[in-house]
Amino acid sequence: MICNVHTVEETVELKIAIIFAVLLCAPCVVRGDEQIVVDPNAAHHSFPHFWEQMFGSGRAILTLRESYRRDLRTVKAATDFRYVRFHAILHDEIGIYDEDKHGTPRYNFSYVDQIYDGLLENGVRPFVELSFMPSKLASRKTVQGFSYHPFVAPPREYARWDALIANFAAHLVERYGIDEVAQWYFEVWNEPNLDFWGGVPAQATYWTLYDHTARALKQVNSRLRVGGPSTAQAAWVSAFIRHTSDEQVPLDFVSTHVYGNDKSKDVFGTHELIPRAEMVCRAAKKVHDEVVASSRPNMPVIWSEYNASYFNEPNITDSIFMGPWLADTLRRCDGLTEMMSYWTFSDVFEEQGVVRRPFYGGFGLMAAGGIPKPAFNAFKMLHELGDERFATDSEHALITRRPDGTFMIALWNYVSPGADGPSITIALRLPEGARTIRLRRLDASHGDVRGAYAQMGSPQYPTHEQLEALRSSSALGAPEELSIVNHQVSITLPPNALVTAEVLLR
């Protein structure tokens, strides 16, 4: 064995040299809880923005309010969404159907025109949910529990229902032209597997409703798009496709619903405890696979309602939790659906009665008074993602690229509701040519208006000045710039934070 012997002075000099070398190389390694490589040569695929093509909203009559249209314009500017869906276009309050003293049907499209004119003038098309039953056409007085008391019984005469649908569709084609209306969607009813449909038995009587409706629409013009079954809890899809195929009934798309807090027994018929983060996209996979295995394997699937909760849960739908929940939903649901409609874009919404305060766990992106919630900011940030998605093993990231070559990355730190979680640090290794990153953050200190609302005493009826202050407090603020050192950067995310990172190239 050969031993190297150093003097004391040489040993000290050696230690100093080692320390100096470590200090010099410190920027070479960015340490974090997770390392993510952004590789331009990695596998990638098309990433259409399926999550922001459509939103739900309060019922049809509410679209005539200026508060509704103001919120619509705000969300349109942030997401450029194309369709809106709402209940009750056939409700008595719209006035579309009546009968004279002899029982002869009379149609009135005055409010219908104002409703659809208003949408189109604001750059949004209707996804027409054909509901609910006009009271004078209902076979019995079966009423659902919403505050506006929709009638949900089958029609007393299907010939009258067919004529209503045909006259309605013909009026739309005459007013807007078939080239326009052919770009709309017509969905038959809402959640007929729940108490929104009073037919007995529910499925068989819904099939009858669908068959009559689809054929009446197609007789007006074959280019009109019709679909269903618009079920809750991802139900009936296989049976519905089988029915329409066997009976040769027109079908242009499949629609259904799911929420993050739906139960596994209702969606899958099991007793699993499926986390809120997984429920929506596991249901999307179920339906996707059912369609692929059906006689119509290329049928478009549209989730015409989804959200993290179907309850009023302020700590969910009003909170920053929606940022990571939404981002993770995009990651998981990619490739499983044509379009997903978040329920809803606005808290101009009265299913449980008139809204009593701005933050009550409503479904909307916009709280009463036109106040953007964290969910609005999440949609606004994720709108900036590119239309190509790159492969990564991370469960906390979406790596995308825009047409101009800019990488846009979403990072998040998901923590389940009611749980405690630590901050995490994500180290990004970026491609050659990356010089700066611009960050937008959504967390308790950025884009979360609830802190400002609490500081002003949580007023039930904010004044004009308070509303202006709350809208200002909801803003995300200017992007934060980080320098890139040796192609690497480190980003720390507190619990339930969402970050989008725009990689600026030389």
Side-chain angles (χ1 to χ4, degrees):
M1 183 173 66
I2 300 174
C3 295
N4 291 324
V5 179
H6 298 279
T7 67
V8 173
E9 291 81 2
E10 288 173 330
T11 302
V12 172
E13 289 175 358
L14 182 60
K15 288 181 177 179
I16 291 172
I18 292 171
I19 292 169
F20 186 63
V22 169
L23 290 172
L24 279 177
C25 290
C28 300
V29 178
V30 177
R31 301 196 180 278
D33 299 292
E34 184 173 358
Q35 306 262 336
I36 297 175
V37 177
V38 181
D39 181 4
N41 298 313
H44 56 278
H45 61 267
S46 177
F47 189 52
H49 286 207
F50 59 89
W51 66 91
E52 60 177 0
Q53 300 302 302
M54 177 165 64
F55 285 90
S57 82
R59 71 189 191 279
I61 198 70
L62 300 183
T63 71
L64 300 180
R65 292 186 188 172
E66 179 55 28
S67 56
Y68 178 103
R69 294 183 177 184
R70 183 181 62 236
D71 286 353
L72 183 145
R73 289 189 289 269
T74 300
V75 176
K76 172 71 175 178
T79 66
D80 198 27
F81 76 105
R82 299 188 299 149
Y83 294 95
V84 67
R85 172 184 179 267
F86 43 75
H87 305 319
I89 192 66
L90 305 180
H91 192 281
D92 286 355
E93 62 192 355
I94 304 299
I96 189 172
Y97 182 88
D98 199 359
E99 295 176 0
D100 66 16
K101 63 182 180 180
H102 304 292
T104 303
R106 291 181 172 178
Y107 309 112
N108 183 346
F109 300 111
S110 175
Y111 276 7
V112 169
D113 292 348
Q114 293 177 56
I115 287 167
Y116 292 151
D117 286 358
L119 297 183
L120 295 171
E121 286 166 5
N122 285 290
V124 177
R125 292 188 167 101
F127 185 98
V128 182
E129 176 200 301
L130 292 165
S131 70
F132 291 103
M133 193 61 61
S135 63
K136 290 188 177 180
L137 187 51
S139 57
R140 58 185 182 277
K141 304 304 181 185
T142 305
V143 178
Q144 199 270 345
F146 284 165
S147 67
Y148 57 92
H149 309 303
F151 280 73
V152 295
R156 72 175 196 273
E157 293 178 27
Y158 265 103
R160 290 174 182 259
W161 172 261
D162 296 349
L164 168 61
I165 296 302
N167 277 275
F168 174 65
H171 174 79
L172 297 178
V173 171
E174 180 182 6
R175 184 173 183 83
Y176 302 109
I178 187 58
D179 288 342
E180 171 61 36
V181 183
Q183 298 181 70
W184 302 9
Y185 293 83
F186 292 84
E187 181 186 45
V188 180
W189 216 253
N190 175 69
E191 299 187 350
N193 57 322
L194 301 184
D195 63 353
F196 294 95
W197 176 240
V200 180
Q203 188 179 89
T205 55
Y206 174 75
W207 289 174
T208 301
L209 178 78
Y210 180 84
D211 296 354
H212 277 266
T213 307
R215 287 170 174 150
L217 286 167
K218 292 292 188 177
Q219 285 174 2
V220 172
N221 196 292
S222 62
R223 293 173 62 190
L224 299 179
R225 296 188 286 197
V226 62
S230 190
T231 41
Q233 300 159 346
W236 294 6
V237 170
S238 292
F240 179 64
I241 294 176
R242 186 164 55 250
H243 165 77
T244 56
S245 295
D246 290 347
E247 301 300 322
Q248 298 185 334
V249 183
L251 178 64
D252 297 302
F253 62 92
V254 165
S255 65
T256 188
H257 307 162
V258 72
Y259 286 79
N261 60 334
D262 271 323
K263 302 296 185 291
S264 63
K265 65 180 179 61
D266 297 322
V267 179
F268 301 101
T270 69
H271 296 285
E272 303 169 79
L273 294 176
I274 299 176
R276 196 184 298 255
E278 299 178 19
M279 175 56 79
V280 167
C281 296
R282 281 187 59 174
K285 179 68 164 58
K286 167 185 177 275
V287 171
H288 172 269
D289 291 349
E290 288 174 350
V291 171
V292 169
S294 76
S295 60
R296 298 181 174 182
N298 298 315
M299 185 65 58
V301 177
I302 296 174
W303 291 87
S304 52
E305 286 185 28
Y306 83 102
N307 201 320
S309 178
Y310 57 82
F311 292 135
N312 293 141
E313 297 185 83
N315 66 323
I316 301 294
T317 50
D318 289 346
S319 77
I320 59 171
F321 168 82
M322 294 305 298
W325 182 86
L326 181 64
D328 196 55
T329 297
L330 311 191
R331 179 183 72 87
R332 294 173 185 268
C333 286
D334 180 21
L336 299 178
T337 175
E338 183 100 352
M339 196 159 53
M340 297 183 76
S341 179
Y342 183 88
W343 189 259
T344 59
F345 78 78
S346 172
D347 280 351
V348 178
F349 190 84
E350 295 180 354
E351 290 181 358
Q352 295 147 336
V354 176
V355 172
R356 293 175 173 84
R357 60 178 59 253
F359 299 101
Y360 66 98
F363 303 124
L365 303 185
M366 305 289 292
I371 307 166
K373 300 183 191 178
F376 170 86
N377 284 327
F379 269 97
K380 183 175 183 178
M381 292 164 67
L382 294 168
H383 176 68
E384 299 301 319
L385 293 177
D387 55 12
E388 290 180 311
R389 180 182 171 189
F390 282 71
T392 176
D393 293 332
S394 175
E395 296 183 353
H396 303 96
L398 280 167
I399 301 173
T400 71
R401 185 170 62 187
R402 296 173 179 164
D404 65 0
T406 302
F407 278 92
M408 195 72 186
I409 303 163
L411 305 170
W412 58 91
N413 180 10
Y414 180 94
V415 177
S416 296
D420 293 324
S423 296
I424 63 172
T425 298
I426 294 178
L428 294 177
R429 184 167 184 84
L430 300 166
E432 295 282 347
R435 59 178 174 82
T436 306
I437 278 189
R438 286 182 183 160
L439 295 185
R440 285 195 182 274
R441 297 181 182 269
L442 175 60
D443 55 36
S445 302
H446 302 84
D448 184 3
V449 68
R450 295 172 308 148
Y453 182 66
Q455 287 178 357
M456 64 174 57
S458 303
Q460 185 173 1
Y461 308 111
T463 64
H464 290 295
E465 292 76 14
Q466 288 173 324
L467 286 172
E468 284 299 323
L470 290 170
R471 292 178 196 127
S472 296
S473 296
S474 72
L476 289 167
E480 168 190 351
E481 289 202 359
L482 299 182
S483 296
I484 299 167
V485 179
N486 293 327
H487 314 301
Q488 297 176 91
V489 69
S490 181
I491 301 169
T492 298
L493 295 91
N496 279 326
L498 170 67
V499 167
T500 51
E502 181 184 22
V503 181
L504 303 179
L505 306 175
R506 290 189 180 90

